[in-house]
């Protein structure tokens, strides 16, 4: 019997969005796998407080979706460096990059998925659903 597929989930603001949770749920049903949540630290948060809050809020939801415990780690402010560092400490078979909608996603503008694919693993991009509501000036 082969070991479970190790999947790195790279997310920040979208770590607990319905679309990512559904993707994790579906992926977990495809076969034995384990998930690790990687939250790159925002540059304005040197103490990693914000990233820790993201993990605290998202982890129970991801674990429910995965049907198993999910590991979590805080990474570098540069999301690609964060992914490379995660790969240096542990091998992964797949990566899920969870992003904001294209018009506001810094990670998509940086072409993070293509950079991660160069590490030799399949990458799935899960993009949060954009709200159709118009923003009101307050």
């Amino acid at each position: 019997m082969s070991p479970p597929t190790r999947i790195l989930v790279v997310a920040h603001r979208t770590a607990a969005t319905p679309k990512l949770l559904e993707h994790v749920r579906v992926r977990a049903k495809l076969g034995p796998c384990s998930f690790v949540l990687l939250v790159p630290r925002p540059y304005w948060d040197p103490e990693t407080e914000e990233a820790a809050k993201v993990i605290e809020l998202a982890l129970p939801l991801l674990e429910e979706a995965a049907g198993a415990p999910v590991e979590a780690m805080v990474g570098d402010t540069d999301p690609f460096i964060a992914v490379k560092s995660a790969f240096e400490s542990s091998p992964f078979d797949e990566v899920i990059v969870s992003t904001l909608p294209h018009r506001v996603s810094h990670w998509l503008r940086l072409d993070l998925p293509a950079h991660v694919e160069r590490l030799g693993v399949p990458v799935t991009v899960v993009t949060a659903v954009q709200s159709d509501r118009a923003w009101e000036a307050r």
Side-chain angles (χ1 to χ4, degrees):
M1 185 171 174
S2 62
T5 302
R6 290 193 35 91
I7 303 170
L8 182 66
V9 178
V10 186
H12 185 259
R13 292 182 182 159
T14 59
T17 55
K19 198 164 180 186
L20 176 60
L21 296 173
E22 182 58 24
H23 187 82
V24 167
R25 190 173 288 110
V26 168
R27 180 59 190 88
K29 289 179 182 177
L30 291 177
C33 57
S34 63
F35 295 90
V36 176
L37 172 63
L38 169 62
V39 178
R41 179 179 55 79
Y43 70 89
W44 64 84
D45 185 26
E47 302 301 317
T48 71
E49 186 175 318
E50 185 175 325
K53 287 178 185 175
V54 168
I55 289 170
E56 184 177 344
L57 292 171
L59 212 52
L61 298 170
L62 286 167
E63 289 179 336
E64 183 277 323
V70 173
E71 295 175 48
M73 64 176 76
V74 175
D76 191 89
T77 58
D78 179 311
F80 182 65
I81 291 174
V83 170
K84 279 180 47 178
S85 294
F87 270 75
E88 289 168 2
S89 66
S90 180
F92 291 96
D93 304 301
E94 299 175 24
V95 175
I96 298 170
V97 176
S98 179
T99 70
L100 293 168
H102 195 275
R103 69 177 181 82
V104 294
S105 174
H106 179 66
W107 292 0
L108 291 178
R109 280 193 302 274
L110 292 174
D111 204 10
L112 178 62
H115 291 293
V116 174
E117 279 180 338
R118 290 186 195 113
L119 296 174
V121 296
V123 176
T124 302
V125 178
V126 177
T127 304
V129 176
Q130 181 175 326
S131 172
D132 291 332
R133 291 183 278 181
W135 290 95
E136 297 177 18
R138 296 187 190 252

